[in-house]
Amino acid sequence: MADRYELKLPALKVSQGSKEIYCFAVDGKKLHDFAAVSRIRRDDEKRLQGYQRPEVLSHIRSIRRYLESDGAMLPNAVVLAFDERVKFVPAGRGGAVEYSVPGELVIPVDESLADEDKPAWLVDGQQRSAAIRDADLAEFPVAAVGFIASGQAEQRSQFILVNSTKPLPKGLVYELLPETTGQLPRSHERRRLAARIMSLLNTQDGPFYGRINSPTSPKGNIKDNSVLKMLEHSIYEGALFQYRNATDGTGDEGRMLAHLQAFWKPVSKIFEDAWGKPPRESRLTHGVGIQAMGFVMDRLTTDIPVDKVNWDEVRSVLRGLEEHVAWTSGAWTFPDGQERRWNSLQNTSHDVRLLSTYLQARVRE
């Protein structure tokens, strides 16, 4: 029978406004007995689960070699999110300040539990904890900071905030943003709704289904950042603005998705060959094409609700672009006489502006 016991650790409760954190030390070898790494993935119903990036084995090996050397020290605290099974018992004496209370952290340990049922999750310190786990050491105490989280949404928010000064992969941040709670840095707040819509595009039936590259959709070949830029512009300045709540930053996600699907479905059919190819073989699925066609959508449908748009007319306009585009071969001929090979257009602000202006001019004609 697996061991079940309570791990009791001296701790300090620190009040930060309405929040409380717990500072303590624990043997790093015991971390995985009660704490899990919640790796990012999607379940069978396309719902986001977890939030961590995969282990970086080379980094873990490097930390392990260091830990096994003389004089090794890891001064940075690991960060843990506890559920409500973890309790703090204050000591019988008061401290010199009200915001700091000494006591004992009581963590239930049941070695038979699956990772998803453990009472704690590693928010920061995944690589360090894995290195300690694998190191040829009897024990290695580490500093730790914990907080009691209300659920995975709060854990994801804390994960982004804790790692905001580190080079987190942008794709991971984009995928986590829609399913976070609480205040985030302003740049992330602005992108949260766009990231949510991008996730819906990538996980629901339609032309973008499975096509957007992300941590949970690694086979996708359309860059997430290109789609995100297209969506962000439309939400704040284009066709999707009409569905946005300017007061709280939310939006009518269902109508946004319907509007996008109604436009991009004919795009994928009319330019079927170009849409079916990866960005290196098609400027339509390349960042420059995704953003430029987003501007076309905004030009044709801004301020017109999805159920009021004349989609037959939109399809007619899109078919009229066929003779003017060079998505997969040939050359682009711009009004100023400039001629560019089909694949010379790049995902730069200059080329996005050049192609967007060109396509919108053809639309007006």
Side-chain angles (χ1 to χ4, degrees):
M1 181 176 177
D3 289 338
R4 295 183 183 180
Y5 61 96
E6 289 185 336
L7 184 62
K8 299 181 178 181
L9 301 169
L12 197 65
K13 180 177 75 173
V14 179
S15 298
Q16 295 179 330
S18 62
K19 300 290 187 181
E20 295 174 346
I21 63 172
Y22 307 97
C23 307
F24 59 100
V26 63
D27 180 5
K29 287 287 189 181
K30 295 182 181 295
L31 273 174
H32 291 270
D33 291 346
F34 62 87
V37 174
S38 187
R39 293 194 181 88
I40 188 169
R41 67 193 186 282
R42 290 193 183 273
D43 61 22
D44 292 340
E45 296 181 11
K46 304 301 180 183
R47 292 173 301 194
L48 188 68
Q49 303 291 332
Y51 50 88
Q52 270 279 25
R53 50 192 157 184
E55 289 186 352
V56 181
L57 295 180
S58 60
H59 189 201
I60 292 173
R61 285 194 295 269
S62 176
I63 298 173
R64 176 182 173 178
R65 286 193 296 270
Y66 168 71
L67 292 175
E68 292 174 346
S69 66
D70 293 333
M73 179 177 69
L74 289 179
N76 294 340
V78 299
V79 180
L80 295 156
F82 296 120
D83 67 21
E84 294 178 351
R85 287 174 289 178
V86 176
K87 306 295 182 184
F88 176 79
V89 181
R93 55 185 175 80
V97 292
E98 293 182 356
Y99 56 75
S100 179
V101 178
E104 194 173 61
L105 202 61
V106 182
I107 305 171
V109 179
D110 183 348
E111 294 179 3
S112 68
L113 292 178
D115 274 1
E116 61 266 26
D117 296 323
K118 291 180 179 179
W121 296 267
L122 271 166
V123 174
D124 188 49
Q126 176 189 0
Q127 320 300 342
R128 282 168 284 159
S129 67
I132 295 169
R133 176 196 63 203
D134 297 343
D136 186 17
L137 299 167
E139 67 174 13
F140 194 92
V142 294
V145 174
F147 63 94
I148 295 177
S150 58
Q152 282 204 358
E154 185 180 352
Q155 293 163 23
R156 292 179 186 123
S157 295
Q158 292 299 326
F159 176 63
I160 290 176
L161 292 169
V162 165
N163 287 281
S164 62
T165 60
K166 299 179 181 181
L168 269 179
K170 288 185 178 179
L172 178 57
V173 173
Y174 299 155
E175 190 144 25
L176 292 174
L177 276 177
E179 303 186 53
T180 59
T181 57
Q183 190 69 30
L184 294 172
R186 190 170 183 177
S187 60
H188 291 333
E189 284 286 357
R190 180 179 171 89
R191 286 196 155 183
R192 197 196 307 241
L193 180 56
R196 171 63 180 162
I197 301 303
M198 180 173 69
S199 175
L200 293 174
L201 284 173
N202 207 26
T203 56
Q204 297 193 17
D205 286 341
F208 283 102
Y209 177 74
R211 290 293 304 275
I212 304 170
N213 184 269
S214 73
T216 62
S217 183
K219 294 182 180 179
N221 53 28
I222 296 176
K223 295 292 186 182
D224 54 2
N225 194 45
S226 301
V227 178
L228 199 62
K229 285 181 177 179
M230 179 268 291
L231 293 172
E232 190 175 357
H233 178 272
S234 189
I235 288 170
Y236 285 94
E237 301 180 47
L240 301 183
F241 177 82
Q242 61 190 309
Y243 310 119
R244 178 176 173 267
N245 185 328
T247 302
D248 60 13
T250 62
D252 188 332
E253 297 175 4
R255 299 191 82 194
M256 287 186 178
L257 182 63
H259 199 120
L260 288 159
Q261 300 282 42
F263 176 79
W264 284 95
K265 281 180 181 178
V267 169
S268 67
K269 296 299 182 183
I270 292 169
F271 307 109
E272 187 173 8
D273 179 63
W275 186 255
K277 293 181 177 180
R280 67 178 180 277
E281 299 175 16
S282 169
R283 266 357 187 209
L284 177 57
T285 55
H286 192 276
V288 67
I290 294 292
Q291 291 180 74
M293 290 302 290
F295 280 104
V296 170
M297 179 186 73
D298 293 338
R299 165 70 67 177
L300 294 173
T301 63
T302 290
D303 296 331
I304 310 174
V306 59
D307 54 341
K308 301 295 185 183
V309 175
N310 186 335
W311 291 109
D312 288 335
E313 184 177 319
V314 169
R315 284 188 285 272
S316 177
V317 172
L318 291 174
R319 280 191 289 269
L321 288 178
E322 288 184 279
E323 62 183 293
H324 300 290
V325 297
W327 296 128
T328 61
S329 63
W332 300 90
T333 303
F334 296 104
D336 61 358
Q338 179 184 179
E339 189 169 290
R340 299 273 298 271
R341 278 178 51 82
W342 74 271
N343 59 353
S344 70
L345 294 181
Q346 301 301 319
N347 192 17
T348 63
S349 57
H350 175 271
D351 282 3
V352 169
R353 185 167 56 251
L354 178 66
L355 184 56
S356 300
T357 301
Y358 171 75
L359 293 179
Q360 289 179 83
R362 302 288 79 76
V363 164
R364 285 197 299 272
E365 291 176 355

